[in-house]
């Protein structure tokens, strides 16, 4: 887990991932308020650490390949796509 604070030690957010062997999986993150792009910074620092550990794959979870009406969700997808070098097709079915 990586945690971000400002210069006054105010909590800005966190980012969590787990790894095993040469594979890592992004678990969750939280940004508090309208703080700086702390998650972007923590994600990049995490990638650098994973590379040093010899991790070969870092999965960011589901990233839809279509437009969403939810602007926050759309921005999350754009963020994830910026880190991705390839996409894997999965079956995503929503039960109602």
């Amino acid at each position: 887990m990586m945690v971000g604070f400002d210069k006054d030690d105010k909590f800005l957010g966190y980012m969590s991932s787990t790894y095993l062997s040469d594979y890592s999986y992004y678990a969750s993150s939280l940004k508090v308020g309208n703080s700086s792009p702390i998650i972007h910074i923590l994600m990049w620092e995490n990638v650098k650490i994973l590379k040093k550990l010899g991790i070969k794959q870092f999965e960011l979870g589901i990233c839809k390949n279509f437009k969403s009406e939810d602007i926050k969700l759309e921005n999350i997808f754009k963020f994830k796509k910026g880190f991705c070098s390839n996409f894997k097709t999965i079956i995503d079915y929503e039960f109602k």
Side-chain angles (χ1 to χ4, degrees), residues 1 15-29 43 46-47 50 55-63 80 88 90:
M1 179 182 295
M15 182 254 140
S16 176
S17 68
T18 185
Y19 72 92
L20 179 64
S21 185
D22 64 350
Y23 180 85
S24 180
Y25 184 79
Y26 165 76
S28 65
S29 62
M43 184 75 71
N46 187 59
V47 167
L50 293 173
I55 304 299
K56 303 290 184 203
Q57 291 184 347
F58 180 40
E59 184 176 326
L60 294 174
I62 294 174
C63 184
K80 288 181 176 183
K88 294 179 182 175
I90 63 166

Side-chain angles (χ1 to χ4, degrees), residues 35-49:
S35 59
S36 63
I38 191 66
I39 303 305
H40 297 85
I41 295 165
L42 294 175
M43 184 75 71
W44 182 244
E45 292 301 317
N46 187 59
V47 167
K48 293 189 322 188
I49 290 169

